[in-house]
Amino acid sequence: MSDTNFKVITAAFSQDLNAATAGLLGAGQRLANDAGGTHIAICCGSIDSTLSTQISAFGDRVIAIDSEPLARAEPEAWLSCLRSISAQETPDAILLGNDTLSQEITPRLAHRLNGASIGDAQSVTIDDGAIVITRSVYGGKAIADIELTASPAVVWIRAQSMDPADKNAAPGTIETVPLNESADLQSHIIDTHDEVSEGERLEDAQIIVSGGRGLGGPEPFEELVSLAKVLKAQNAASRAACDLGWVPHSWQVGQTGCKVAPQLYLAVAISGASQHTMGIADSKAIAAINTDRDAPIFKHCQFGLVEDFQQVVGPLRDKLSDLL
Ligand SMILES: Cc1cc2nc3c(=O)[nH]c(=O)nc-3n(C[C@H](O)[C@H](O)[C@H](O)COP(=O)(O)OP(=O)(O)OC[C@H]3O[C@@H](n4cnc5c(N)ncnc54)[C@H](O)[C@@H]3O)c2cc1C
């Protein structure tokens, strides 16, 4: 089908063209191409900024907005901005990333535009004129194809689940729209505290070393942190370990935590409950260390070791530091 009036907006909140933004742009570009329509990429920058120039390689049009509240990732400011652009452009779909800001504003934006909202999409396609998304349901035990009947479809997509965009034959146009900075904001950020340890976001990490309740306390997590340093990896945890206060909640992976898609996910003393494994299903390879040979995690992994983690983690770190 071809619908030259079909419009897809992608809204990238990141200040650089990272892997998550590239995947978001890819999702928008493919959806617009499949419908024969237009891909409009919105970013925070000015017409001549590096970011808007980079993004113009992947969008038919780029709307760049130079605004302090947007750069500070103020949810209210982004909501108001996307609402006013949508009122002007009347898009069929608005795609957002999987950061907390996107997850917060997706349903609110859909409500304000009388559209439909859904999150954690692993694919976004068009079928006979209708937008269909695919996502896991029932704690990862099934996959559902869901048709969004109200328009616009406002969707946040799972990190690293989408291939990056291809470069356009010619760069898209870059334009600005006026932003009403004095719009009445219901709330605004007064300060931010970084809870995550240094390094990239879990969603963007290529290697993750994750620990569970079987570690027995917060101290063994220090061993996992030193193993992660050697591997240039990020650390994560099961909900049980986070709920016990051993590590920050920002480390949580699973149904109610981050959905990750690394090249390697190492699960140490994690049983592999479905609520945990649904968050790691997109990993390229999963390895597990667990004393219980019947632990469900072994059904999901390519490499499994039935062993006490204390016998493995320290020696593995020492061996790897010699090698890497
Ligand atoms: C609505 C809902 C949402 C949820 N969301 C999430 C979520 O997002 N993420 C999440 O993780 N969970 C989530 N849960 C919780 C989930 O059901 C499990 O309770 C949790 O994942 C278990 O964490 P765990 O594997 O660390 O602990 P356990 O299930 O207690 O497993 C510990 C494992 O460690 C092993 N072990 C013990 N000692 C050692 C040792 N010395 N060496 C090696 N292995 C050892 C044990 O054999 C066991 O397999 C959710 C639950 C509900 C109801």
Side-chain angles (χ1 to χ4, degrees):
M1 67 162 289
S2 175
D3 177 357
T4 48
N5 292 322
F6 188 94
K7 284 185 189 165
V8 181
I9 285 181
T10 51
F13 300 141
S14 165
Q15 299 291 309
D16 54 27
L17 187 55
N18 57 21
T21 303
L24 173 66
L25 293 168
Q29 186 187 60
R30 284 184 293 276
L31 184 61
N33 285 347
D34 288 350
T38 308
H39 172 208
I40 305 169
I42 299 179
C43 70
C44 185
S46 57
I47 282 196
D48 52 4
S49 77
T50 312
L51 183 61
S52 49
T53 308
Q54 284 175 327
I55 286 184
S56 68
F58 309 106
D60 299 307
R61 290 168 54 201
V62 175
I63 297 180
I65 305 150
D66 197 7
S67 150
E68 262 297 303
L70 295 192
R72 280 200 310 270
E74 293 265 6
E76 292 287 335
W78 270 106
L79 255 180
S80 150
C81 160
L82 290 176
R83 187 189 187 186
S84 86
I85 293 174
S86 301
Q88 207 166 322
E89 300 287 347
T90 59
D92 298 272
I94 303 171
L95 307 184
L96 299 100
N98 86 326
D99 48 276
T100 39
L101 173 59
S102 298
Q103 293 181 23
E104 177 181 337
I105 71 171
T106 293
R108 297 175 67 192
L109 182 61
H111 176 71
R112 290 184 192 192
L113 298 172
N114 289 323
S117 95
I118 200 149
D120 202 21
Q122 289 159 274
S123 84
V124 189
T125 51
I126 185 143
D127 184 16
D128 206 12
I131 290 169
V132 177
I133 72 108
T134 303
R135 57 171 286 181
S136 339
V137 289
Y138 303 122
K141 289 196 166 70
I143 301 280
D145 292 333
I146 300 165
E147 183 179 311
L148 301 174
T149 47
S151 184
V154 189
V155 180
W156 66 262
I157 62 171
R158 187 183 279 205
Q160 299 197 56
S161 60
M162 309 284 172
D163 290 332
D166 294 324
K167 277 198 171 175
N168 297 334
T173 55
I174 306 176
E175 56 205 270
T176 54
V177 294
L179 181 71
N180 182 8
E181 298 264 5
S182 62
D184 264 353
L185 304 184
Q186 292 169 14
S187 62
H188 68 101
I189 295 170
I190 48 171
D191 200 2
T192 56
H193 306 267
D194 202 355
E195 206 194 354
V196 192
S197 51
E198 75 249 16
E200 60 199 335
R201 298 184 323 140
L202 268 182
E203 292 89 337
D204 301 328
Q206 295 302 303
I207 304 178
I208 294 178
V209 177
S210 189
R213 178 156 48 198
L215 290 178
E219 295 80 16
F221 269 97
E222 287 164 25
E223 290 275 295
L224 297 196
V225 169
S226 66
L227 174 59
K229 275 214 173 90
V230 173
L231 285 167
K232 298 192 174 46
Q234 291 295 103
N235 284 107
S238 70
R239 175 165 163 178
C242 296
D243 284 352
L244 285 160
W246 297 347
V247 289
H249 275 286
S250 55
W251 286 27
Q252 187 184 318
V253 164
Q255 182 181 342
T256 43
C258 297
K259 317 287 184 292
V260 297
Q263 295 296 316
L264 173 65
Y265 185 86
L266 173 59
V268 184
I270 291 177
S271 60
S274 61
Q275 295 89 356
H276 186 80
T277 54
M278 78 162 288
I280 61 173
D282 289 336
S283 304
K284 300 292 173 296
I286 297 173
I289 303 167
N290 198 301
T291 42
D292 176 7
R293 64 174 57 251
D294 295 323
I297 190 73
F298 288 130
K299 291 196 191 114
H300 301 270
C301 69
Q302 284 78 15
F303 310 100
L305 187 57
V306 181
E307 185 55 277
D308 186 328
F309 75 89
Q310 299 178 76
Q311 306 299 321
V312 184
V313 173
L316 179 63
R317 179 204 49 218
D318 296 344
K319 188 81 189 163
L320 286 169
S321 3
D322 291 343
L323 290 172
L324 298 174

